[in-house]
Short mmCIF file of all heavy atoms in Angstrom, two decimals:
data_model
loop_
_atom_site.label_atom_id
_atom_site.label_comp_id
_atom_site.label_asym_id
_atom_site.label_seq_id
_atom_site.Cartn_x
_atom_site.Cartn_y
_atom_site.Cartn_z
N GLU A 169 22.83 -14.01 1.19
CA GLU A 169 23.81 -12.98 0.83
C GLU A 169 24.00 -11.91 1.91
O GLU A 169 25.04 -11.27 1.95
CB GLU A 169 23.38 -12.28 -0.48
CG GLU A 169 23.39 -13.23 -1.67
CD GLU A 169 22.58 -12.68 -2.85
OE1 GLU A 169 22.07 -11.54 -2.76
OE2 GLU A 169 22.42 -13.41 -3.85
N VAL A 170 22.99 -11.71 2.74
CA VAL A 170 23.07 -10.63 3.74
C VAL A 170 23.13 -11.20 5.16
O VAL A 170 24.03 -10.89 5.93
CB VAL A 170 21.86 -9.67 3.60
CG1 VAL A 170 21.92 -8.56 4.64
CG2 VAL A 170 21.79 -9.09 2.19
N VAL A 171 22.17 -12.08 5.49
CA VAL A 171 22.07 -12.57 6.87
C VAL A 171 23.24 -13.53 7.18
O VAL A 171 23.92 -13.39 8.21
CB VAL A 171 20.71 -13.27 7.09
CG1 VAL A 171 20.64 -13.93 8.46
CG2 VAL A 171 19.57 -12.25 6.92
N GLN A 172 23.46 -14.49 6.31
CA GLN A 172 24.50 -15.51 6.57
C GLN A 172 25.88 -14.88 6.85
O GLN A 172 26.50 -15.20 7.88
CB GLN A 172 24.57 -16.49 5.39
CG GLN A 172 25.58 -17.60 5.61
CD GLN A 172 25.72 -18.55 4.42
OE1 GLN A 172 24.94 -18.48 3.46
NE2 GLN A 172 26.69 -19.44 4.49
N PRO A 173 26.38 -13.99 5.97
CA PRO A 173 27.71 -13.43 6.25
C PRO A 173 27.77 -12.67 7.58
O PRO A 173 28.79 -12.75 8.28
CB PRO A 173 27.95 -12.46 5.09
CG PRO A 173 26.97 -12.81 4.04
CD PRO A 173 25.84 -13.52 4.69
N LEU A 174 26.70 -11.98 7.94
CA LEU A 174 26.72 -11.22 9.20
C LEU A 174 26.77 -12.16 10.40
O LEU A 174 27.50 -11.93 11.37
CB LEU A 174 25.49 -10.31 9.30
CG LEU A 174 25.49 -9.08 8.38
CD1 LEU A 174 24.15 -8.36 8.45
CD2 LEU A 174 26.62 -8.13 8.76
N LEU A 175 25.99 -13.25 10.33
CA LEU A 175 25.96 -14.18 11.46
C LEU A 175 27.26 -14.98 11.57
O LEU A 175 27.60 -15.50 12.63
CB LEU A 175 24.76 -15.13 11.33
CG LEU A 175 23.38 -14.48 11.43
CD1 LEU A 175 22.27 -15.53 11.32
CD2 LEU A 175 23.22 -13.69 12.73
N GLU A 176 27.99 -15.07 10.46
CA GLU A 176 29.24 -15.85 10.46
C GLU A 176 30.45 -15.02 10.90
O GLU A 176 31.56 -15.54 10.98
CB GLU A 176 29.48 -16.44 9.06
CG GLU A 176 28.51 -17.57 8.72
CD GLU A 176 28.75 -18.20 7.36
OE1 GLU A 176 29.43 -17.57 6.53
OE2 GLU A 176 28.26 -19.33 7.13
N LEU A 177 30.23 -13.73 11.19
CA LEU A 177 31.37 -12.85 11.51
C LEU A 177 32.21 -13.34 12.69
O LEU A 177 33.40 -13.09 12.76
CB LEU A 177 30.88 -11.41 11.79
CG LEU A 177 30.52 -10.58 10.55
CD1 LEU A 177 29.94 -9.23 10.95
CD2 LEU A 177 31.75 -10.38 9.66
N GLY A 178 31.57 -14.06 13.62
CA GLY A 178 32.29 -14.53 14.81
C GLY A 178 33.01 -15.86 14.57
O GLY A 178 33.65 -16.39 15.50
N GLY A 179 32.88 -16.43 13.39
CA GLY A 179 33.61 -17.67 13.09
C GLY A 179 32.73 -18.90 12.98
O GLY A 179 33.13 -19.91 12.40
N LEU A 180 31.51 -18.85 13.54
CA LEU A 180 30.60 -20.00 13.38
C LEU A 180 30.13 -20.04 11.93
O LEU A 180 29.95 -19.01 11.30
CB LEU A 180 29.38 -19.86 14.30
CG LEU A 180 29.61 -19.93 15.80
CD1 LEU A 180 28.29 -19.73 16.55
CD2 LEU A 180 30.22 -21.27 16.19
N ARG A 181 29.93 -21.23 11.39
CA ARG A 181 29.52 -21.39 9.99
C ARG A 181 28.08 -21.88 9.90
O ARG A 181 27.73 -22.90 10.52
CB ARG A 181 30.44 -22.38 9.26
CG ARG A 181 31.85 -21.90 9.08
CD ARG A 181 31.98 -20.92 7.88
NE ARG A 181 33.20 -20.11 7.98
CZ ARG A 181 33.25 -18.85 8.41
NH1 ARG A 181 32.17 -18.23 8.77
NH2 ARG A 181 34.39 -18.19 8.48
N ALA A 182 27.27 -21.18 9.07
CA ALA A 182 25.87 -21.58 8.86
C ALA A 182 25.85 -22.95 8.19
O ALA A 182 26.61 -23.19 7.24
CB ALA A 182 25.15 -20.56 7.99
#
Side-chain angles (χ1 to χ4, degrees):
E169 295 163 4
V170 179
V171 174
Q172 182 183 352
L174 288 173
L175 295 181
E176 289 182 342
L177 282 175
L180 293 178
R181 293 279 160 260

